């Protein structure tokens, strides 16, 4: 059974509307608040434990060792136990797992002031990170089950990540700073170590409050979806670990995510690790170092903010690889930047590209990976991010030290190049190459050059005020009936409507005259007839600002004929794009009807045709909305109208864009 789900994509509604609609869901809102508090607690724990490590030692070398020891120990759980964490998130009740982890984190933090020793601080740091390692996959895997529609996954992830890597960092830093100045300001007899202990106790109480909230206020986290949930609960932990690793390694979409994440955070880790020495090469000091550090994280947050807008123009599976290629390309510019201001801009670009990739990757996991395997996939991806980022930060300074500065004379001018430049340049090349590999793994439709493919997507410009709505389905009768009812309703709403009917009669006449019998010849003839309809009817109507309802545009007839011709979705998609000149509908309504339902017009191979249609919808999820087509004609017509209403609302607000999809219906 496939572990990848095929879902409709996010609505084109405004960002504020999308955020409000997600936060209006009570269980998700409460889980988001819990995640926000825990994120503050995680960052506060990092600051407090590293500060305490230096307070419990004396001497520069001992303090450096203690500080580095805390950071290194935080890596060990992800390195050793990441697959196990994901397996437990898929096997056991996720709510109970989260509660247990939060209670344990509270107890561990409270134990640090009681022990008051460096060795226990190291043990506690390991235990804290271990609990976090088990908590995060359970939380992330639960999010899609709390939402009303799969298209809300991206917005939910965006809210969580902006809080985790943005607001929480600032909040925790501000809180820790406030606590450290509290004693001197109020003239309290508190030593720096005692203040850190107070921060740890406060941090423990934060985790206790989140445990109580999850246990009493979010029972929905325990809910599981999909037929594989019971199977996962019955399997052994070792079997789940093996199955999860096999799934990651054998599924092209997830394999591409793994490769791409490695590339993206290789670039980000190289920038962070080189920032101090890179600032020196720019003839800057600590202020420049701070600005570079802020730029990478500001870019990361910005990328997470703009990712949903980009995904409206480029499907997630292609946007992910493109963002990583972009991170690598911009990192090459970072390596060549001669001035601080240019370095800050390019570093911002690296962070933004990594942010787009990270959010897009997590959205793909939440929207397309089945619940039964999602915990293991999330755990693997989250651990990979930490390992690659920390690994880069550990390896890069060593490599920089092996490359001493060299002085070059260029046109009479003296140019000094230190080790950070070739390291950054090399990391950029690695990231770009891995991005291309990830793109190829995840792009299930084309095999052409990546640059021309991306440019063809970006060249899709706005179409005046016209709106193109396509209606596709398994049968001619269903699509014809729903297209006519949709056109009538749009006219009643005051729209200027052109109904582009299915040219099936013209197609049959031409086939009879030409005497064609080959199934592939039939496919080509169907594409040619519909290409002429697009040029003669559809494009002029769009240019005039009308709403065009296109009955069985190209995909439906091609899927019907391609089922008998043995063509796959990639071949049919390529032919459809060529025949329409890459004209894409603002929204395609796919009438999803059980192909086993009796119908006089049903194709000879109903199941294969149905699969081809759903595969094409999955390849362009931004442009499809799936409507349940079972039931009476008027009942289905109402579902279609509900699916189209958001597109009309955006058009009336003056924001129609090609490729924007409606919210899922049915």
């Amino acid at each position: 059974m496939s572990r990848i789900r095929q879902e409709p994509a996010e609505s084109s509604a405004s960002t504020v509307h999308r955020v409000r609609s997600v936060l209006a869901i009570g269980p998700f809102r409460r889980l988001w608040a819990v995640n926000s508090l825990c994120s503050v607690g995680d960052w506060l724990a990092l600051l407090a434990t590293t500060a305490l490590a230096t307070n419990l030692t004396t001497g520069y070398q001992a303090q450096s060792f203690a500080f580095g020891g805390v950071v290194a120990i935080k890596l060990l759980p992800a390195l050793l136990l990441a697959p196990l964490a994901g397996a437990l998130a898929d096997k056991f009740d996720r709510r109970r797992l989260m509660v247990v982890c939060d209670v344990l984190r509270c107890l561990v933090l409270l134990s640090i002031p009681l022990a008051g020793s460096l060795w226990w601080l190291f043990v506690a740091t390991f235990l804290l990170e271990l609990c976090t390692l088990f908590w995060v996959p359970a939380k992330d895997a639960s999010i899609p089950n709390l939402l009303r529609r799969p298209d809300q996954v991206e917005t939910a992830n965006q809210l969580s990540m902006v809080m985790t890597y943005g607001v929480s960092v600032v909040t925790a830093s501000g809180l820790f700073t406030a606590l450290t100045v509290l004693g001197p300001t109020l003239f309290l007899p508190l030593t720096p170590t005692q203040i850190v202990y107070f921060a740890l106790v406060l941090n423990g109480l934060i985790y206790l409050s989140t445990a109580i909230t999850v246990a009493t206020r979010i029972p929905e986290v325990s809910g599981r979806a999909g037929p594989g949930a019971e199977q996962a609960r019955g399997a052994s932990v070792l079997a789940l670990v093996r199955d999860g690793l096999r799934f990651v390694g054998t599924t092209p979409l997830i394999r591409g995510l793994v490769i791409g994440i490695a590339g993206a955070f290789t670039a980000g880790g190289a920038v962070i690790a080189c920032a101090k020495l890179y600032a020196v090469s720019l003839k800057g000091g600590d202020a420049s170092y701070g600005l570079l550090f802020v730029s990478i994280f500001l870019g990361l947050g910005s990328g997470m903010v703009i990712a949903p807008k980009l995904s409206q123009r480029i499907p997630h599976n292609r946007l992910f690889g493109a963002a990583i290629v972009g991170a690598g390309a911009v990192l090459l510019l970072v390596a060549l930047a001669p001035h601080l201001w240019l370095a800050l801009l390019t570093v911002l670009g690296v962070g933004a590209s990594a942010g787009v990739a990270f959010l897009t990757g997590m959205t793909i996991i939440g929207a397309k990976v089945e619940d039964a395997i999602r915990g293991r996939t999330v755990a693997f991806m989250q651990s990979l991010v930490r390992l690659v980022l920390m690994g880069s930060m550990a390896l890069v300074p060593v490599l920089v030290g092996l490359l001493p500065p060299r002085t070059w004379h260029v046109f009479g001018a003296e140019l000094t190049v230190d080790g950070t430049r070739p390291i950054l340049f090399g990391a950029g090349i690695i990231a770009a190459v891995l991005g291309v590999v990830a793109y190829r793994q995840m792009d299930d439709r084309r095999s052409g050059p990546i640059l021309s493919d991306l440019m063809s997507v970006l060249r899709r410009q706005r179409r005046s005020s016209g709106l193109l709505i396509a209606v596709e389905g398994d049968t001619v009768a269903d699509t014809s009936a729903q297209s006519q009812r949709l056109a009538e309703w749009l006219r009643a709403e005051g729209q200027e409507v052109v109904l582009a009917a299915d040219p099936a009669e013209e197609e049959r006449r031409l086939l009879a005259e030409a005497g064609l019998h080959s199934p592939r010849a039939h496919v080509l003839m169907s594409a040619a007839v519909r290409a002429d309809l697009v040029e003669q009817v559809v494009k002029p109507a769009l240019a005039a600002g009308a709403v065009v309802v296109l009955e069985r545009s190209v995909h439906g007839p091609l899927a019907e004929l391609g089922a008998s011709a043995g063509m796959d979705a990639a071949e049919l998609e390529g032919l459809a794009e060529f025949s329409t000149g890459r004209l894409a509908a603002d929204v395609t309504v796919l009438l999803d009807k059980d192909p086993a339902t009796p119908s006089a017009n049903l194709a000879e191979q109903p199941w294969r045709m149905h699969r081809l249609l759903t595969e094409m919808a999955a390849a362009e999820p931004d442009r499809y909305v799936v409507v349940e087509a079972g039931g009476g004609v008027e009942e289905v017509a109402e579902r279609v109208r509900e699916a189209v209403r958001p597109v009309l609302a955006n058009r009336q607000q003056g924001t129609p864009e090609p490729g924007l999809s409606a919210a899922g219906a049915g």
Side-chain angles (χ1 to χ4, degrees), residues 30-178:
R30 289 188 284 274
L31 182 61
W32 178 72
V34 164
N35 178 63
S36 302
L37 279 175
C38 284
S39 297
V40 172
D42 292 343
W43 290 107
L44 184 59
L46 175 63
L47 293 169
T49 53
T50 52
L52 183 60
T54 58
N55 289 343
L56 293 176
T57 53
T58 56
Y60 177 78
Q61 289 184 336
Q63 290 180 333
S64 298
F65 171 78
F67 183 92
V70 170
V71 175
I73 288 173
K74 289 179 70 67
L75 285 176
L76 287 179
L79 182 63
L80 301 174
L81 300 171
L84 177 62
L88 294 183
D90 286 333
K91 181 175 177 62
F92 298 113
D93 185 308
R94 289 169 181 160
R95 179 166 63 109
R96 292 179 181 176
L97 184 60
M98 291 173 64
V99 171
V100 170
C101 288
D102 277 342
V103 171
L104 289 177
R105 288 198 283 190
C106 172
L107 295 176
V108 170
L109 284 168
L110 295 179
S111 71
I112 295 176
L114 295 177
S117 62
L118 183 62
W119 72 268
W120 178 250
L121 176 62
F122 287 156
V123 174
T125 299
F126 180 85
L127 295 176
L128 281 173
E129 196 63 21
L130 184 63
C131 291
T132 302
L133 183 70
F134 286 104
W135 189 89
V136 170
K139 182 265 298 182
D140 285 341
S142 301
I143 288 176
N145 298 337
L146 304 182
L147 304 175
R148 292 170 182 159
R149 303 188 311 270
D151 59 273
Q152 294 176 319
V153 170
E154 185 171 46
T155 303
N157 283 334
Q158 185 184 27
L159 282 169
S160 297
M161 290 184 182
V162 168
M163 178 60 68
T164 300
Y165 296 100
V167 178
S168 294
V169 178
V170 176
T171 303
S173 300
L175 180 59
F176 185 73
T177 302

Side-chain angles (χ1 to χ4, degrees), residues 238-376:
L238 183 59
L240 289 175
V241 171
R242 287 199 307 264
D243 189 35
L245 293 176
R246 187 184 307 114
F247 172 72
V248 171
T250 59
T251 307
L253 184 69
I254 306 304
R255 191 167 60 236
L257 281 175
V258 170
I259 295 170
I261 285 293
F265 285 89
T266 293
V271 172
I272 295 172
C274 284
K276 179 65 174 178
L277 295 176
Y278 181 66
V280 174
S281 74
L282 294 170
K283 296 181 174 56
D286 289 340
S288 298
Y289 168 60
L291 288 174
L292 289 169
F293 200 80
V294 169
S295 292
I296 190 72
F297 281 97
L298 182 61
L300 191 69
S302 301
M304 293 177 185
V305 171
I306 65 174
K309 292 296 183 183
L310 295 178
S311 67
Q312 293 172 0
R313 298 181 62 82
I314 308 175
H316 287 108
N317 58 331
R318 290 153 59 196
L319 175 60
F320 178 78
I324 296 166
V325 173
V330 178
L331 188 54
L332 299 179
L333 299 179
V334 174
L336 301 174
H339 303 292
L340 177 62
W341 65 268
L342 184 58
L344 292 175
L345 289 177
T346 50
V347 166
L348 188 71
V350 172
S353 299
V356 170
F358 192 33
L359 178 61
T360 303
M362 293 303 297
T363 298
I364 290 173
I365 292 174
K368 293 193 174 184
V369 176
E370 286 186 359
D371 180 72
I373 196 76
R374 192 185 302 135
R376 282 162 282 176

Side-chain angles (χ1 to χ4, degrees), residues 11-32:
S11 170
S12 58
S14 69
T15 300
V16 174
H17 175 75
R18 288 188 293 108
V19 169
R20 285 179 176 174
S21 66
V22 170
L23 291 179
I25 303 171
F28 171 78
R29 184 175 63 251
R30 289 188 284 274
L31 182 61
W32 178 72

